[in-house]
Amino acid sequence: MRLFVAINFNTETRSRLLALRDELRNCSKGGNFSVPENLHLTLAFLGECSAEQQASVKAAMDAVCFEPFPINIERIGRFKREGSDIWWAGVSRNKPLLDLQELLADKLMAAGFLLEERKYTPHITLGRQVVTEVAPWTIEPFGEVVKKIELMKSERLGGNLTYTSVYGKASAGAKQL
Ligand code: 2AM
């Protein structure tokens, strides 16, 4: 199965992200835009994993301790790809988020996973293969307090890219899941 670890959002954050997705869609000539349930912030992408590897990811998540922390979504940006870019909502690079991402990556690498070596760019994908003439823009920041990270399974169901939470690790002080 294809796995990644992510932060999922509450209903209000999700609806604000959706409004931004719609704004982007309205000023685009084309693109493959994210459906509401697929909006998330990836912390680590594992790719194809065996059941044994899935257990290792859960153990790595269990070994990561973090306090609840706020995140802020502050801009709309893109990764340039030949003519059809990936557009996203960018998350401020705050210390608790970067520390959590690094700690998790360390635990996963210690368990034998090969992770992406590029610098972590915290982003929430709003659309892929987007064709637009607009330039990235800043937004009135909004966000929420993160209290949980989740192990997500990615699969194609009936032709649709579907993400399902298969495990969760709560922050210190949060109720057990
Ligand atoms: P993206 O949104 O920037 O494509 C599920 O596919 C999640 O894992 C998405 O957030 C996706 O990021 C990320 N992802 C997919 N393939 C990846 C890769 N090779 N390296 C890093 N992240 C990846």
Side-chain angles (χ1 to χ4, degrees), residues 41-94:
L41 172 61
T42 293
L43 290 172
F45 178 75
L46 289 327
E48 204 56 44
C49 291
S50 63
E52 195 184 326
Q53 285 175 314
Q54 182 180 2
S56 301
V57 181
K58 289 180 181 174
M61 290 169 70
D62 285 341
V64 166
C65 289
F66 65 100
E67 297 290 330
F69 63 93
I71 53 164
N72 271 313
I73 297 156
E74 55 171 16
R75 69 196 165 113
I76 302 300
R78 69 177 162 209
F79 293 139
K80 279 212 160 267
R81 301 277 186 278
E82 293 275 310
S84 65
D85 304 335
I86 294 172
W87 280 76
W88 38 258
V91 176
S92 313
R93 297 174 55 79
N94 76 33

Side-chain angles (χ1 to χ4, degrees), residues 20 32 44-45 53 56 59-60 98 104 108 138-139 156 158 162 166 174:
L20 290 168
N32 186 359
F45 178 75
Q53 285 175 314
S56 301
L98 297 183
L104 177 66
L108 290 167
T138 53
I139 56 173
R156 289 244 163 229
T162 308
V166 293

Side-chain angles (χ1 to χ4, degrees), residues 2 4 40 42 45 79 86 116 118 123 125 128 154 163:
R2 202 173 152 87
F4 60 100
H40 65 271
T42 293
F45 178 75
F79 293 139
I86 294 172
E116 180 159 54
R118 274 181 296 185
H123 67 278
T125 297
R128 301 170 202 279
S154 165
Y163 301 144

Side-chain angles (χ1 to χ4, degrees), residues 106-123:
D106 286 349
K107 302 279 182 207
L108 290 167
M109 286 189 286
F113 289 96
L114 297 173
L115 300 179
E116 180 159 54
E117 285 180 3
R118 274 181 296 185
K119 182 177 159 193
Y120 178 57
T121 305
H123 67 278

